[in-house]
Amino acid sequence: MTEINPARTRTPRSDGEQSRERLLHAALSLFAHQGYANTSTREIAEAAGTNLAAIKYYFGDKAGLYRAVFFDLQATPDEEIGRYGGEDLSLREALRGLYVGFLEPLKQGDLTTLCMKLHMREMLEPTGLWAEEIDQGIRPMHEALVRVLCRHVGVDGPDDEIQRLAVCVSALGVHLHVGRDVTDALAPGLNRAPDALDRWLDGLVMYAEAMVAAEVRRRRGSP
């Protein structure tokens, strides 16, 4: 899975909070387009309509600001796992919760696109945060999905096929983010309808249920 998953905004509570939010969003745009090394704190402050002292006050330094941009604008792993990891959820309910986590950010348009671009740039120009994201974000979410699949496939613990199934189930949601431009080019109508995301949700749940059912049949030796 990827945590690229959901960007979130917060309602400003004060002038100070508004300044912090402006810095986060200005830095997100600049870091996503230019990268960490090629973006100066002066550029960020100017884009946010504030001063360098504000960056030091809220984030300490450029590295602290970059870290906040990378992590603060997305949901936490616990929030994401809460959507689908409950042991009392049916398979359909769990899958629906999983894919809501992928689809909700797409309603935020440019913010989600920039967060995705930032994550892709971090993979190409690593500062160390992507490794941390895998270890502290993606890994626990993947492990939670593996537990869900074990429960509904009817096995005590994961083997390679359960791990592979988890990757394939999450890949359906990941592709809606990383392959959005490809989808728009190949089948533009899929993302233009007012109910496009609702239809994607229903489809993703159906396809994932089919994958789980196929794995159950395979283990039973059914054709």
Side-chain angles (χ1 to χ4, degrees):
M1 293 174 64
T2 176
E3 51 27 30
I4 43 190
N5 144 46
R8 56 182 181 179
T9 55
R10 293 176 291 178
T11 302
R13 297 184 298 272
S14 66
D15 289 344
E17 183 69 8
Q18 290 179 31
S19 295
R20 187 179 188 279
E21 291 294 313
R22 289 200 306 272
L23 283 167
L24 281 174
H25 287 84
L28 170 61
S29 180
L30 288 166
F31 285 141
H33 287 106
Q34 301 178 177
Y36 178 79
N38 294 324
T39 300
S40 70
T41 52
R42 187 173 299 279
E43 284 181 284
I44 296 169
E46 289 176 355
T50 184
N51 52 49
L52 291 173
I55 293 178
K56 182 175 179 60
Y57 178 79
Y58 292 113
F59 306 102
D61 55 16
K62 178 180 169 181
L65 174 55
Y66 184 72
R67 182 181 183 83
V69 168
F70 198 85
F71 290 114
D72 286 9
L73 294 176
Q74 62 184 25
T76 68
D78 286 345
E79 289 171 330
E80 290 298 326
I81 292 169
R83 299 178 189 266
Y84 63 88
E87 294 186 4
D88 59 334
L89 296 178
S90 68
L91 176 61
R92 180 167 296 182
E93 289 170 336
L95 292 172
R96 196 168 188 87
L98 173 71
Y99 291 126
V100 163
F102 282 105
L103 291 168
E104 282 298 315
L106 295 177
K107 296 178 181 179
Q108 298 183 25
D110 290 344
L111 181 61
T112 297
T113 300
L114 287 171
C115 285
M116 173 63 64
K117 184 174 291 188
L118 179 68
H119 280 73
M120 298 297 286
R121 185 175 286 279
E122 171 64 22
M123 285 188 278
L124 295 172
E125 303 169 6
T127 67
L129 293 190
W130 182 241
E132 185 176 335
E133 171 72 2
I134 292 175
D135 190 54
Q136 299 183 19
I138 297 172
R139 187 184 305 281
M141 290 189 289
H142 172 80
E143 290 174 348
L145 177 58
V146 165
R147 291 192 294 271
V148 170
L149 295 175
C150 284
R151 188 160 58 247
H152 290 286
V153 170
V155 296
D156 293 332
D159 54 21
D160 286 350
E161 295 308 316
I162 290 291
Q163 295 284 0
R164 186 173 289 112
L165 178 60
V167 170
C168 291
V169 166
S170 60
L172 296 179
V174 171
H175 186 71
L176 291 183
H177 288 261
V178 300
R180 181 63 180 263
D181 57 338
V182 176
T183 301
D184 286 341
L186 299 179
L190 295 182
N191 293 322
R192 290 180 181 173
D195 63 344
L197 293 181
D198 292 332
R199 295 178 68 179
W200 271 119
L201 179 58
D202 291 339
L204 294 177
V205 171
M206 179 178 67
Y207 306 144
E209 282 183 312
M211 285 194 283
V212 176
E215 177 59 18
V216 171
R217 291 196 301 271
R218 187 192 69 80
R219 288 174 182 267
R220 291 175 178 171
S222 301

